[in-house]
Structures are given as C-alpha cells and as structure tokens.
Amino acid sequence: TTLWQRAGARAQASPPDHESALADIDRAAKLFEEMEARPSFARVLRDRARVLRAAGRTDEADGAEQRSKAIAAELGLKDFAP
C-alpha cells in the first residue's frame, strides 16, 4: 500500500507527476493482483483511472474504470458508485 499512497501524493503534487504516479499504481496493482487482494485491486484500478483522466488519457481511463467497477460489483464493494 506504500506504493499506492505515494502514487496519490505524486498525483496531487503541484505540479502533479502523473507518470510517476502511474508507475507506482501499476506496481501496486500487480502486487494486489498477485496476492489476489481483489478489493484493493479494484480500488487501485479506480485510482489509476483518475490519474489517467487527469493526464488526458481518457480511453485508457475508461478501460481501467470499467474493470474496477466490474470487480467491485462482483465483490459487492459499497464504496463504488453504481
């Protein structure tokens, strides 16, 4: 989760460092997926979508968001909007 937290800090910095944030998010996502930590994986994908959108990469953001919402729906996560 340290990578994930650092990604958030990098994305919110002034100016934001989207590429470094995405690198951290991608490493965290890989770890969560390997550990089969699906709730965390869904949430990190949601954050990946937010950073991609902020970086102007909307097509990639849409894909990450759809995947995160699908996992969240499957797991019944309450912190995802319908």
Side-chain angles (χ1 to χ4, degrees):
T1 62
T2 301
L3 290 168
W4 189 10
Q5 291 171 340
R6 185 172 69 182
R10 288 178 168 177
Q12 295 174 11
S14 183
D17 185 351
H18 296 123
E19 293 309 313
S20 292
L22 286 170
D24 284 345
I25 284 173
D26 289 346
R27 283 192 295 263
K30 183 178 183 217
L31 291 170
F32 289 142
E33 190 170 32
E34 289 172 355
M35 293 185 300
E36 298 180 8
R38 297 189 74 218
S40 294
F41 184 59
R43 291 179 179 108
V44 80
L45 287 176
R46 178 178 56 189
D47 287 351
R48 184 176 198 279
R50 290 175 181 160
V51 173
L52 286 166
R53 203 169 308 288
R57 296 163 57 180
T58 55
D59 288 344
E60 291 174 83
D62 290 345
E65 184 175 34
Q66 288 172 359
R67 188 167 179 208
S68 72
K69 285 184 176 182
I71 295 168
E74 183 181 323
L75 298 175
L77 298 179
K78 305 283 188 216
D79 58 326
F80 278 73

